[in-house]
Amino acid sequence: MTTLAAPDARRHTEQDRSQRRPGPRPAGRIAGRVVVFVLLAGYAVVSLYPFLWMVSATFKTQFEVVRGGHLIPENPTFDTLVNTWNQLNFFDYFLNSVLVTTYTVVLTLAVYAAAGYAFAVLRFKGRTALFRMFMALLFVPGVTVMLPIVILENELGLLGTHMGLVLPFVNGTAPLSVLLMNGAFNAIPHELRESARVDGASELRIFTSIYLPLSRPALITVALLTAIPTWNEYLLTRVSLNDPSTYTLPLGLQTLASESVPQYNNLMAGALIIVVPVILLFLFLQRYFVSGLVGAVKG
């Protein structure tokens, strides 16, 4: 019986393998993928060309930019970039942007990590209603509250200062930050908190030693989603700041554009100075960014 069963078993195994082998793909599916690839490639070219032109113009003279021509500079020069950085106060604008962005990110993480922990873990009266109110703020356009913010800053003596920018930026990130942190903390097993409570750990110790380390991808995601809009913010900054010594990079770029005879190579160099830090930051932290979004959605 054993000798007879072995060939049968072998035959069935070969049949199963043949059934599992993928057959030839239909021509329609291959054609569909080719069309999608071509469309995506075309979209990528259209999207990347302005950026490549900006980089190219940064290393050209004003005459070469106005004349037009090839995307690759004929005589590449770093003089435009150096001139924009040193002689047009862009170093001061860069430091101001770093200062405003850093304060905004630190305050956002400190405030809304604690708020997300409270909504996800703690039980208190009105928790659901308060959380829904935060979520409703996602649908409120920021421009509608700009005038009240400016009036309030003026009353508090903050108008024209960097702190007058930081506080509205922190407030504006509240809905999305609370949503992401709440989802990340909900994904952490509650048994860890119960075990820590049994061991005598305080609520603050549980928050800082268990929940914050385990939610690092979400924290980095919130930091990125806060840093990038803050770094690029123009409208509120334009309304709030009047002293050139407090200008951030977007306002510095606007001063170049408002010259009677715009130097397009200087404009492109200024734009490159603004864009490069954001790109590098995202490339360095993108794996945490994706993990943070996935974890928040699952939570």
Side-chain angles (χ1 to χ4, degrees):
M1 294 177 63
T2 304
T3 57
L4 293 175
D8 292 339
R10 192 180 303 112
R11 185 169 58 253
H12 287 302
T13 303
E14 292 176 355
Q15 290 176 355
D16 293 340
R17 288 178 180 174
S18 64
Q19 291 175 358
R20 288 197 300 264
R21 271 192 209 128
R25 295 180 178 177
R29 182 182 299 179
I30 296 176
R33 292 190 175 185
V34 171
V35 171
V36 170
F37 176 80
V38 171
L39 291 175
L40 291 177
Y43 178 77
V45 170
V46 172
S47 301
L48 285 175
Y49 182 79
F51 176 77
L52 295 177
W53 192 90
M54 176 186 69
V55 175
S56 173
T58 301
F59 300 99
K60 293 179 179 179
T61 62
Q62 170 72 357
F63 174 75
E64 190 176 354
V65 172
V66 174
R67 186 186 61 183
H70 299 292
L71 189 64
I72 300 176
E74 296 178 1
N75 299 301
T77 176
F78 284 92
D79 292 343
T80 301
L81 193 61
V82 173
N83 178 66
T84 304
W85 179 261
N86 292 330
Q87 299 182 19
L88 300 177
N89 297 323
F90 254 67
F91 180 71
D92 295 335
Y93 302 150
F94 184 85
L95 290 181
N96 289 336
S97 289
V98 170
L99 184 68
V100 171
T101 303
T102 301
Y103 283 162
T104 302
V105 170
V106 170
L107 283 176
T108 297
L109 292 179
V111 173
Y112 299 121
Y117 178 80
F119 285 124
V121 177
L122 304 182
R123 297 294 179 263
F124 55 90
K125 189 175 181 180
R127 180 176 68 95
T128 302
L130 188 59
F131 181 76
R132 289 176 179 175
M133 184 191 73
F134 271 102
M135 295 306 100
L137 293 176
L138 282 170
F139 305 98
V140 178
V143 69
T144 60
V145 296
M146 182 168 296
L147 181 59
I149 287 175
V150 172
I151 295 175
L152 180 61
E153 287 183 359
N154 187 46
E155 294 294 329
L156 296 176
L158 296 175
L159 192 63
T161 66
H162 287 157
M163 191 54 62
L165 295 177
V166 170
L167 294 180
F169 290 160
V170 172
N171 181 71
T173 61
L176 186 58
S177 300
V178 170
L179 177 64
L180 292 175
M181 295 310 305
N182 178 73
F185 289 144
N186 272 326
I188 298 174
H190 289 282
E191 291 78 9
L192 294 176
R193 177 173 178 266
E194 298 302 326
S195 299
R197 291 292 298 271
V198 171
D199 292 337
S202 65
E203 205 68 59
L204 180 61
R205 179 68 180 275
I206 295 172
F207 172 62
T208 56
S209 300
I210 298 178
Y211 278 79
L212 285 184
L214 292 176
S215 61
R216 183 173 62 174
L219 291 170
I220 294 176
T221 300
V222 171
L224 276 176
L225 293 177
T226 302
I228 294 175
T230 302
W231 184 267
N232 295 323
E233 173 62 32
Y234 172 79
L235 189 56
L236 180 61
T237 307
R238 174 71 277 178
V239 173
S240 300
L241 301 181
N242 295 315
D243 185 359
S245 65
T246 63
Y247 281 2
T248 56
L249 281 173
L251 290 186
L253 185 63
Q254 189 268 335
T255 59
L256 294 181
S258 62
E259 293 180 354
S260 56
V261 182
Q263 300 292 315
Y264 295 108
N265 56 339
N266 288 335
L267 278 172
M268 295 302 101
L272 186 64
I273 293 172
I274 295 176
V275 169
V276 166
V278 174
I279 295 177
L280 294 178
L281 183 65
F282 181 79
L283 291 177
F284 181 70
L285 299 175
Q286 63 177 336
R287 64 189 183 97
Y288 297 103
F289 178 76
V290 174
S291 299
L293 288 179
V294 172
V297 170
K298 288 183 178 180

